[in-house]
Amino acid sequence: MTAHSPADAPLTAVVTGASSGIGRATAVRLVADGWRVLAVARREERLAELAAETGCEVLAVDVTSDESVAALVARVEELFDGSLNAVVHVAGGALGVETAAEADLEKWQRMYDINVLGAVRVTRALLPAVRASGRGDLLFVTSVAGHEAYPGGSGYNAAKAGEHMLAHALRLELNGEKVRVIEVAPGMVRTEEFSLVRLGDQEKADAVYDGVDQPLTAEDCADVISYALNAPHHVNLDLVTVRPLAQAAAHRVARHQGL
């Protein structure tokens, strides 16, 4: 394993959840920024489209599987000689809007497995390569839901709060090393799948954004991620909360105001 990449070599990144939404937009943006990107997700056909569009490397990975993540480690070793500058954790998601009193524990388990244990599994596996780079970043895309509870959000609130605490603890544990730990917590983002997967119905998904002219886009979030990763390495954006102007809090949104 190399100690670090030459100063003039492209920076390298693994982006999880790269088949759609913020993950895909982040992979596209980092390639445009000159990074060498290994984009990973479960859906191979989506990854193939991304590779054709950007020239990035891709690998089908399930972050809830030890075997799948072990294959990711092997691919990082093969592509980047075991030295990796950044891991961008985007894989995650919300399932359902049941109250805690009516909690569907299978949904809670799935959210915890992806958002928290998936992030831990990938971090644990790739941290040696990140350390080896001499200029490492662990960036977690969480959510305002991890900082602000709201009715019907308890399962997702709990999962994203867990991921937030993972990032916070890692920052303390890695203090003194050349590894930044960054958290980007988006508010209302309109992507093709997030609300649809959560609610299971297109009409209900569309209603989430009713009266909001300009919710955040995946590209807006990718801009913030790009800035955080490309900033001078002594600059650490511990936590960035990014919302559309129409949203003051997770539960407070100005609708039909031309925003």
Side-chain angles (χ1 to χ4, degrees):
M1 182 179 291
T2 56
H4 61 272
S5 300
D8 58 349
L11 295 172
T12 57
V14 166
V15 180
T16 73
S19 60
S20 66
I22 295 172
R24 190 184 199 284
T26 298
V28 170
R29 177 57 186 268
L30 291 181
V31 170
D33 289 343
W35 288 61
R36 289 188 67 198
V37 173
L38 173 57
V40 305
R42 289 176 297 163
R43 292 178 290 185
E44 294 185 67
E45 71 286 353
R46 291 285 192 96
L47 291 174
E49 293 170 3
L50 177 62
E53 176 184 333
T54 66
C56 72
E57 301 289 342
V58 297
L59 182 68
V61 172
D62 178 354
V63 300
T64 69
S65 163
D66 289 338
E67 182 180 353
S68 190
V69 171
L72 171 60
V73 173
R75 187 66 172 144
V76 166
E77 179 69 36
E78 178 184 10
L79 286 175
F80 307 136
D81 197 22
S83 176
L84 182 66
N85 293 110
V87 181
V88 184
H89 297 275
V90 189
L95 296 172
V97 290
E98 296 86 0
T99 65
E102 299 173 339
D104 182 327
L105 295 186
E106 289 186 4
K107 291 179 181 177
W108 278 61
Q109 183 69 58
R110 182 64 178 163
M111 286 188 283
Y112 194 82
D113 285 344
I114 300 172
N115 292 285
V116 183
L117 296 184
V120 174
R121 183 176 285 104
V122 172
T123 296
R124 182 180 63 182
L126 293 181
L127 185 56
V130 172
R131 282 172 158 152
S133 73
R135 185 200 184 283
D137 292 323
L138 301 173
L139 190 150
F140 297 84
V141 177
T142 61
S143 170
V144 296
H147 302 264
E148 304 166 355
Y150 55 88
S154 54
Y156 189 52
N157 292 147
K160 282 303 185 185
E163 189 179 7
H164 161 67
M165 279 299 174
L166 167 63
H168 189 62
L170 277 166
R171 193 175 299 113
L172 297 173
E173 292 166 356
L174 297 174
N175 182 238
E177 299 188 40
K178 293 184 178 180
V179 179
R180 298 184 296 192
V181 180
I182 301 162
E183 179 183 353
V184 176
M188 180 183 283
V189 185
R190 184 163 200 168
T191 62
E192 60 184 302
E193 294 185 329
F194 180 84
S195 291
L196 180 60
V197 170
R198 182 176 197 175
L199 301 173
D201 179 89
Q202 189 63 60
E203 186 175 348
K204 291 179 181 178
D206 291 341
V208 171
Y209 311 98
D210 181 53
V212 180
D213 290 353
Q214 292 184 296
L216 295 178
T217 66
E219 288 73 23
D220 292 329
C221 297
D223 285 345
V224 176
I225 292 166
S226 170
Y227 179 85
L229 293 178
N230 287 301
H233 206 253
H234 71 283
V235 178
N236 196 110
L237 276 65
D238 285 16
L239 170 62
V240 181
T241 302
V242 53
R243 312 179 199 262
L245 178 59
Q247 185 180 39
H251 61 284
R252 187 169 182 83
V253 180
R255 300 184 188 272
H256 307 290
Q257 301 296 316
L259 300 176

